[in-house]
Amino acid sequence: MKYHAQVEISLKKGMLNPEASTIQRALALLDYQVEDTATIEIVKFTLEAENPDVAREEVVQMCERLLCNPVIHDYQIQIEAAGD
């Protein structure tokens, strides 16, 4: 069965995020006052697996081996049946 996977990758709390800092400063220059700015990366793909649990486990392995650096990144995984 095919499953859609979405992985949201963010920096762990306490890690410097220069991109978010730049965005926050640029918004301030435009007279927008915002706080706690953060950025995330979203990776979406479709994979074949026996069931949702197997699909999730494969995506966890992908995150640990390639998509994320577990030392500095947190990630959240969403899996849903492709339906096609």
Side-chain angles (χ1 to χ4, degrees):
M1 183 167 190
K2 290 189 178 187
Y3 294 92
H4 295 304
Q6 178 173 301
V7 181
E8 295 180 4
I9 304 164
S10 60
L11 288 171
K12 290 186 178 212
K13 291 194 187 306
M15 298 299 300
L16 294 178
N17 187 338
E19 183 179 23
S21 297
T22 300
I23 291 168
Q24 189 164 319
R25 284 193 306 274
L27 288 171
L29 290 172
L30 296 172
D31 292 324
Y32 295 106
Q33 300 306 313
V34 298
E35 298 176 357
D36 302 323
T37 305
T39 58
I40 63 168
E41 179 180 353
I42 298 175
V43 180
K44 294 181 177 184
F45 52 89
T46 303
L47 72 154
E48 185 83 30
E50 292 176 21
N51 59 57
D53 293 333
V54 171
R56 178 173 298 280
E57 184 54 38
E58 286 188 28
V59 175
V60 166
Q61 290 176 18
M62 292 175 197
C63 290
E64 299 290 325
R65 296 180 68 195
L66 177 71
L67 299 176
C68 305
N69 177 344
V71 174
I72 64 170
H73 292 129
D74 286 327
Y75 58 89
Q76 302 226 340
I77 298 170
Q78 297 176 7
I79 301 287
E80 62 181 50
D84 45 47

